[in-house]
């Protein structure tokens, strides 16, 4: 519905040309920026409301004792949420506000765009159930292991102070009140967070619109085809700065595979595009310091590269 409304405004009302790259970029920017900001506000409001029933100390005690099991639960929650890398940020922020351990919050952030129901459906249609099953398992492992590593590194000091968990007293005061006060708390929290990061959202989506419409798909294939054994890391590094939806990236991965690229190389490219992007990094800059962003991107990238090589080794079994 939102896409239809944006298309009507940009192409019918403003008379933009969908065949023009700049006009298509404007349409992409309008749709994604509105979608992400609405999602950001709605999800933070809902989670803020729910948090009044479950103070951060209870959340910490529930998740903090579970070790890798907590990372697995966070990654599993990410796997069932249909969000892209940028749209996952609202829940990630809400986790941090609730005092969820950093590594577990990252397990969600990594897995959420990497695995979701419509990506799984697309992959089953294009690649078959065996490849899809191994992809889902490997995606979960990347989220769990990467989040666990980040958690062990104790990098909480790189989270911006106004984003990290708040005083328990604030929630306790709300707990003693009615539903109206809880809803107001959620709305005020959403207004506060969105007010702090909306410019970063627009900057990230703007960059994503440029990449999405000005990086030709035809330019990808020559870069990878002559790389040999280094095709997996090269495909991953090419995919990291790009930004696109699963619906657009899965067919590209299929084309690369059909053109003779190893399975792991094609899937590594797809994983990098879906799990990481420069727009996501720009949005996260408001939430955390650059060092933590580099650690997050670096560990996740290494996980994707390892998975790509693994798929190449298993190709004869899976195909």
């Amino acid at each position: 519905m939102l896409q239809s409304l944006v298309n009507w405004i940009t192409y019918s009302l403003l008379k933009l040309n969908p065949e023009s790259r700049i006009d298509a970029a404007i349409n992409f920017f309008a749709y994604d920026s509105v979608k992400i900001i609405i999602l950001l506000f709605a999800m933070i409001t809902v989670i803020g409301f729910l948090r009044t029933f479950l103070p951060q100390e209870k959340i910490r005690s529930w998740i903090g004792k579970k070790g890798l099991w907590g990372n697995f639960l966070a990654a599993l929650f990410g796997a069932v949420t249909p969000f892209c890398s940028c749209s996952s940020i609202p829940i990630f922020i809400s986790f941090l506000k609730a005092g969820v351990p950093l590594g577990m919050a990252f397990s969600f952030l990594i897995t959420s765009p990497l695995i979701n129901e419509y990506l799984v459906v697309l992959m089953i249609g294009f690649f078959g159930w065996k490849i899809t099953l191994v992809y889902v398992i490997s995606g979960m492992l990347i989220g769990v292991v990467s989040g666990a590593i980040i958690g062990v590194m104790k990098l909480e000091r790189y989270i911006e102070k106004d984003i990290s968990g708040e005083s328990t007293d604030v929630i306790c005061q709300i707990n003693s009140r009615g539903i109206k006060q809880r809803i107001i708390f959620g709305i005020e929290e959403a207004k506060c967070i969105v007010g702090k990061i909306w410019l970063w959202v627009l900057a990230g989506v703007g960059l994503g619109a440029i990449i999405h419409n000005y990086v030709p798909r035809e330019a990808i294939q020559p870069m990878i085809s002559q790389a040999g054994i280094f095709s997996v890391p090269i495909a991953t590094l090419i995919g990291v700065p790009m930004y696109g939806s699963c619906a657009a990236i899965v067919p590209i991965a299929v084309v690369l595979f059909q053109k003779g690229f190893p399975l792991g190389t094609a899937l590594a490219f797809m994983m990098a595009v879906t799990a990481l992007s420069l727009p996501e990094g720009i949005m996260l800059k408001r939430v955390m310091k650059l060092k933590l962003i580099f650690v997050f991107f670096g560990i996740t990238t290494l996980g994707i590269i390892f998975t790509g090589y693994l798929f190449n080794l298993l190709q004869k079994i899976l195909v």
Side-chain angles (χ1 to χ4, degrees):
M1 183 177 177
L2 177 60
Q3 182 69 76
S4 299
L5 177 61
V6 171
N7 287 345
W8 179 79
I9 292 174
T10 54
Y11 296 140
S12 299
L13 190 62
L14 299 179
K15 306 296 183 184
L16 298 183
N17 179 10
E19 301 300 321
S20 165
R21 283 187 176 180
I22 183 64
D23 290 354
I26 292 172
N27 175 274
F28 183 97
F29 173 79
Y31 170 70
D32 262 42
S33 57
V34 172
K35 178 190 74 174
I36 290 174
I37 288 176
I38 290 175
L39 178 65
L40 188 70
F41 193 93
M43 291 303 301
I44 292 175
T45 299
V46 170
I47 294 174
F49 170 76
L50 294 176
R51 278 204 302 120
T52 63
F53 295 94
L54 190 63
Q56 65 179 27
E57 292 304 321
K58 289 186 178 180
I59 296 175
R60 285 174 177 167
S61 64
W62 182 69
I63 297 181
K65 295 179 181 179
K66 296 182 181 296
L68 282 177
W69 181 244
N71 290 99
F72 173 78
L73 291 177
L76 183 63
F77 180 62
V80 299
T81 52
F83 301 136
C84 67
S85 58
C86 293
S87 301
S88 302
I89 294 176
I91 298 180
F92 173 74
I93 293 174
S94 295
F95 279 173
L96 295 179
K97 294 283 286 183
V100 170
L102 185 63
M104 295 170 192
F106 269 113
S107 286
F108 164 81
L109 184 64
I110 294 167
T111 311
S112 180
L114 204 55
I115 307 169
N116 55 64
E117 52 266 40
Y118 58 87
L119 182 144
V120 169
V121 170
L122 284 172
M123 285 198 65
I124 291 175
F126 284 114
F127 287 107
W129 70 268
K130 286 195 296 185
I131 293 176
T132 303
L133 178 61
V134 177
Y135 174 87
V136 170
I137 294 172
S138 61
M140 286 290 294
L141 284 174
I142 290 174
V144 171
V145 174
S146 298
I149 292 172
I150 292 174
V152 169
M153 294 175 72
K154 304 294 182 183
L155 300 172
E156 285 79 5
R157 64 187 180 277
Y158 296 111
I159 295 290
E160 296 295 342
K161 293 181 180 179
D162 56 348
I163 297 296
S164 57
E166 62 204 330
S167 171
T168 309
D169 294 339
V170 176
I171 303 294
C172 289
Q173 293 171 9
I174 300 297
N175 280 343
S176 62
R177 301 180 184 178
I179 294 297
K180 182 178 179 181
Q181 284 72 29
R182 297 176 192 273
I183 294 174
I184 291 173
F185 175 82
I187 293 173
E188 290 300 320
E189 182 166 272
K191 287 167 61 177
C192 178
I193 295 177
V194 172
K196 291 173 181 175
I197 71 171
W198 70 272
L199 280 174
W200 296 95
V201 171
L202 295 184
V205 174
L207 178 61
I210 293 171
I211 293 172
H212 183 269
N213 290 280
Y214 282 90
V215 176
R217 299 178 184 180
E218 297 78 12
I220 299 170
Q221 186 173 334
M223 296 180 187
I224 306 174
S225 59
Q226 300 178 356
I229 193 173
F230 299 107
S231 64
V232 172
I234 290 175
T236 304
L237 293 176
I238 291 174
V240 166
M242 299 184 70
Y243 179 63
S245 67
C246 297
I249 299 304
V250 173
I252 294 176
V254 173
V255 170
L256 291 175
F257 181 53
Q258 291 174 343
K259 292 286 186 180
F261 286 86
L263 176 63
T265 301
L267 292 182
F269 172 75
M270 185 182 77
M271 281 182 160
V273 174
T274 54
L276 302 168
S277 67
L278 284 182
E280 179 187 23
I282 290 175
M283 293 180 199
L284 288 174
K285 179 63 178 68
R286 178 58 188 83
V287 181
M288 62 188 70
K289 294 180 172 60
L290 276 176
K291 184 171 182 177
L292 182 51
I293 296 176
F294 287 143
V295 170
F296 161 51
F297 269 59
I299 291 175
T300 307
T301 298
L302 290 175
I304 292 172
I305 291 172
F306 174 80
T307 303
Y309 280 121
L310 180 62
F311 267 101
N312 283 346
L313 289 174
L314 298 176
Q315 180 168 333
K316 291 183 179 179
I317 301 174
L318 296 173
V319 178

